Amino acid sequence: MTLRLSVLLLAFLATSAHALYDPAPKSPLPDAEGRWSGTLTYRDYSDDRREVTLPVVTNVALVAPDELVFHNVYDDGPKKTVHSYERLKFDFDAKTLVWAHGLAAKEDRRYRIDSSSSQSGFIEIVVTEIADAKAEAPQCARYTLRWSRTELNIVKQEGRTCDALAVRSRSTFRRAS
Protein backbone atom coordinates (compact mmCIF):
# COMPACT_ATOMS: atom_id res chain seq x y z
CA MET A 1 0.00 0.00 0.00
CA THR A 2 2.79 2.43 0.84
CA LEU A 3 4.59 1.67 -2.43
CA ARG A 4 1.43 2.43 -4.46
CA LEU A 5 0.91 5.69 -2.59
CA SER A 6 4.54 6.68 -3.20
CA VAL A 7 4.24 5.94 -6.93
CA LEU A 8 1.02 7.94 -7.18
CA LEU A 9 2.56 10.84 -5.27
CA LEU A 10 5.63 10.85 -7.53
CA ALA A 11 3.43 10.78 -10.65
CA PHE A 12 1.38 13.70 -9.34
CA LEU A 13 4.46 15.74 -8.44
CA ALA A 14 6.02 15.08 -11.86
CA THR A 15 2.96 16.39 -13.72
CA SER A 16 2.58 19.36 -11.34
CA ALA A 17 6.23 20.35 -11.76
CA HIS A 18 5.89 20.15 -15.54
CA ALA A 19 3.00 22.64 -15.48
CA LEU A 20 5.24 25.20 -13.75
CA TYR A 21 7.22 25.61 -16.97
CA ASP A 22 4.41 26.85 -19.22
CA PRO A 23 5.37 30.17 -20.81
CA ALA A 24 4.10 33.46 -19.42
CA PRO A 25 1.28 35.22 -21.28
CA LYS A 26 2.26 37.50 -24.13
CA SER A 27 1.99 41.13 -23.18
CA PRO A 28 -0.47 42.93 -23.52
CA LEU A 29 -3.05 40.13 -23.47
CA PRO A 30 -3.47 39.56 -19.69
CA ASP A 31 -5.14 42.95 -19.17
CA ALA A 32 -8.02 41.88 -21.43
CA GLU A 33 -8.94 38.97 -19.15
CA GLY A 34 -12.05 39.28 -17.06
CA ARG A 35 -15.78 39.81 -17.06
CA TRP A 36 -17.05 42.79 -19.06
CA SER A 37 -20.51 44.29 -19.48
CA GLY A 38 -21.69 46.79 -22.05
CA THR A 39 -23.35 47.03 -25.43
CA LEU A 40 -22.98 45.93 -29.02
CA THR A 41 -24.19 48.47 -31.57
CA TYR A 42 -24.37 47.37 -35.21
CA ARG A 43 -25.87 48.46 -38.49
CA ASP A 44 -29.00 46.40 -39.10
CA TYR A 45 -28.43 43.78 -41.78
CA SER A 46 -31.93 44.26 -43.21
CA ASP A 47 -31.74 48.10 -43.24
CA ASP A 48 -28.19 49.48 -43.38
CA ARG A 49 -29.37 52.93 -42.22
CA ARG A 50 -30.70 51.62 -38.90
CA GLU A 51 -28.55 50.85 -35.86
CA VAL A 52 -29.39 48.17 -33.30
CA THR A 53 -27.98 48.18 -29.76
CA LEU A 54 -27.96 45.07 -27.57
CA PRO A 55 -26.81 44.64 -23.97
CA VAL A 56 -23.96 42.14 -23.73
CA VAL A 57 -21.84 40.46 -21.08
CA THR A 58 -18.48 39.13 -22.21
CA ASN A 59 -16.07 36.83 -20.42
CA VAL A 60 -12.48 36.94 -21.71
CA ALA A 61 -9.83 34.38 -20.74
CA LEU A 62 -6.33 33.40 -21.76
CA VAL A 63 -6.21 29.78 -22.95
CA ALA A 64 -2.58 29.95 -24.06
CA PRO A 65 0.14 32.60 -23.76
CA ASP A 66 -0.90 34.10 -27.11
CA GLU A 67 -4.61 33.26 -27.28
CA LEU A 68 -7.75 34.88 -25.89
CA VAL A 69 -11.25 33.40 -25.89
CA PHE A 70 -14.42 35.47 -25.69
CA HIS A 71 -17.78 34.14 -24.51
CA ASN A 72 -20.38 36.77 -25.41
CA VAL A 73 -23.93 36.65 -24.03
CA TYR A 74 -26.36 39.02 -25.77
CA ASP A 75 -29.82 40.01 -24.60
CA ASP A 76 -31.68 39.95 -27.93
CA GLY A 77 -35.19 40.69 -26.66
CA PRO A 78 -37.71 39.10 -24.33
CA LYS A 79 -36.70 35.56 -23.45
CA LYS A 80 -34.04 35.50 -26.20
CA THR A 81 -30.43 35.08 -25.17
CA VAL A 82 -27.73 34.66 -27.82
CA HIS A 83 -24.30 33.16 -27.13
CA SER A 84 -21.22 33.54 -29.30
CA TYR A 85 -17.71 32.21 -28.88
CA GLU A 86 -14.55 33.65 -30.39
CA ARG A 87 -10.88 32.68 -30.26
CA LEU A 88 -8.13 35.18 -31.04
CA LYS A 89 -4.65 33.72 -31.55
CA PHE A 90 -2.00 36.43 -31.82
CA ASP A 91 1.43 36.01 -33.39
CA PHE A 92 3.06 39.36 -32.69
CA ASP A 93 6.38 38.31 -34.29
CA ALA A 94 4.69 37.40 -37.60
CA LYS A 95 2.19 40.28 -37.19
CA THR A 96 -0.82 37.99 -37.69
CA LEU A 97 -4.02 37.16 -35.87
CA VAL A 98 -6.21 34.12 -36.47
CA TRP A 99 -9.73 34.93 -35.29
CA ALA A 100 -12.29 32.15 -35.04
CA HIS A 101 -15.66 33.89 -35.23
CA GLY A 102 -17.99 31.21 -33.86
CA LEU A 103 -17.43 27.52 -33.33
CA ALA A 104 -17.42 26.36 -36.96
CA ALA A 105 -13.88 25.92 -38.29
CA LYS A 106 -14.89 27.49 -41.59
CA GLU A 107 -15.34 30.79 -39.78
CA ASP A 108 -11.62 31.23 -38.96
CA ARG A 109 -10.29 34.44 -40.46
CA ARG A 110 -6.71 35.62 -40.86
CA TYR A 111 -5.76 39.21 -40.09
CA ARG A 112 -2.59 41.24 -40.47
CA ILE A 113 -1.64 43.19 -37.35
CA ASP A 114 -1.25 46.72 -38.73
CA SER A 115 -0.30 48.33 -35.44
CA SER A 116 0.03 47.58 -31.78
CA SER A 117 0.58 50.35 -29.26
CA SER A 118 0.35 51.19 -25.59
CA GLN A 119 -0.46 54.76 -24.50
CA SER A 120 -1.98 56.30 -21.39
CA GLY A 121 -2.88 52.90 -19.93
CA PHE A 122 -4.62 51.70 -23.12
CA ILE A 123 -3.56 48.90 -25.44
CA GLU A 124 -4.64 49.34 -29.05
CA ILE A 125 -4.30 46.70 -31.77
CA VAL A 126 -5.50 47.35 -35.31
CA VAL A 127 -5.91 44.38 -37.66
CA THR A 128 -6.99 44.06 -41.28
CA GLU A 129 -8.38 40.88 -42.79
CA ILE A 130 -6.12 39.10 -45.21
CA ALA A 131 -8.64 38.82 -48.03
CA ASP A 132 -9.10 35.87 -50.33
CA ALA A 133 -7.73 37.00 -53.69
CA LYS A 134 -10.25 34.71 -55.44
CA ALA A 135 -13.28 36.47 -53.96
CA GLU A 136 -15.75 37.88 -56.49
CA ALA A 137 -16.27 41.24 -54.79
CA PRO A 138 -13.24 42.52 -52.88
CA GLN A 139 -14.03 43.28 -49.27
CA CYS A 140 -11.96 44.79 -46.50
CA ALA A 141 -12.59 44.29 -42.78
CA ARG A 142 -10.61 46.14 -40.14
CA TYR A 143 -10.92 45.79 -36.38
CA THR A 144 -9.61 48.10 -33.71
CA LEU A 145 -9.30 46.41 -30.31
CA ARG A 146 -8.63 48.82 -27.46
CA TRP A 147 -8.54 48.04 -23.76
CA SER A 148 -7.30 49.14 -20.38
CA ARG A 149 -7.87 47.70 -16.94
CA THR A 150 -11.39 49.23 -16.90
CA GLU A 151 -12.54 49.52 -20.55
CA LEU A 152 -12.72 47.23 -23.57
CA ASN A 153 -13.78 48.47 -27.00
CA ILE A 154 -13.93 46.67 -30.34
CA VAL A 155 -14.81 48.53 -33.55
CA LYS A 156 -15.36 46.73 -36.84
CA GLN A 157 -15.12 48.68 -40.09
CA GLU A 158 -15.78 47.20 -43.50
CA GLY A 159 -16.03 48.21 -47.12
CA ARG A 160 -15.39 47.17 -50.69
CA THR A 161 -11.82 48.44 -50.32
CA CYS A 162 -9.66 49.37 -47.35
CA ASP A 163 -9.72 53.00 -48.52
CA ALA A 164 -13.52 53.27 -48.13
CA LEU A 165 -14.45 51.83 -44.74
CA ALA A 166 -17.59 52.41 -42.68
CA VAL A 167 -18.28 51.32 -39.11
CA ARG A 168 -20.25 48.04 -39.11
CA SER A 169 -20.29 47.41 -35.35
CA ARG A 170 -19.02 48.76 -32.07
CA SER A 171 -18.72 46.93 -28.75
CA THR A 172 -18.19 49.08 -25.67
CA PHE A 173 -17.56 47.47 -22.29
CA ARG A 174 -16.69 48.34 -18.71
CA ARG A 175 -15.14 45.82 -16.40
CA ALA A 176 -17.92 44.15 -14.42
CA SER A 177 -17.58 44.25 -10.65
Side-chain angles (χ1 to χ4, degrees):
M1 182 72 169
T2 308
L3 180 59
R4 284 185 187 170
L5 183 59
S6 297
V7 169
L8 285 173
L9 183 60
L10 282 173
F12 172 75
L13 290 174
T15 58
S16 297
H18 180 70
L20 296 175
Y21 295 103
D22 284 343
K26 299 284 185 186
S27 182
L29 300 181
D31 284 345
E33 277 194 299
R35 184 173 176 85
W36 302 89
S37 63
T39 58
L40 164 67
T41 301
Y42 64 93
R43 283 188 291 137
D44 192 330
Y45 290 95
S46 61
D47 179 358
D48 217 22
R49 297 166 297 177
R50 187 175 151 245
E51 283 193 338
V52 176
T53 299
L54 301 175
V56 60
V57 173
T58 296
N59 293 291
V60 180
L62 277 161
V63 293
D66 57 355
E67 189 169 5
L68 293 172
V69 293
F70 284 65
H71 171 214
N72 307 299
V73 182
Y74 303 97
D75 180 353
D76 197 16
K79 298 182 182 180
K80 187 172 180 191
T81 301
V82 177
H83 295 264
S84 76
Y85 303 91
E86 302 178 55
R87 295 177 77 92
L88 289 76
K89 184 168 180 59
F90 294 86
D91 185 336
F92 290 106
D93 294 331
K95 296 188 184 292
T96 59
L97 165 65
V98 175
W99 192 330
H101 299 273
L103 296 178
K106 66 181 180 181
E107 296 184 41
D108 285 6
R109 302 267 172 88
R110 293 184 53 80
Y111 297 86
R112 175 185 66 241
I113 298 175
D114 296 323
S115 66
S116 177
S117 63
S118 175
Q119 293 179 340
S120 304
F122 279 90
I123 305 302
E124 183 173 281
I125 300 173
V126 178
V127 300
T128 302
E129 186 170 7
I130 300 169
D132 181 2
K134 298 174 185 175
E136 281 183 37
Q139 287 282 321
C140 181
R142 181 171 294 145
Y143 285 87
T144 301
L145 298 94
R146 188 170 193 263
W147 68 84
S148 69
R149 293 192 182 277
T150 58
E151 294 179 42
L152 170 65
N153 301 299
I154 302 171
V155 176
K156 179 183 182 183
Q157 298 173 290
E158 62 183 15
R160 284 200 156 307
T161 68
C162 291
D163 295 331
L165 297 174
V167 173
R168 166 51 80 185
S169 65
R170 184 182 315 94
S171 297
T172 305
F173 301 99
R174 302 290 276 157
R175 191 171 295 276
S177 50

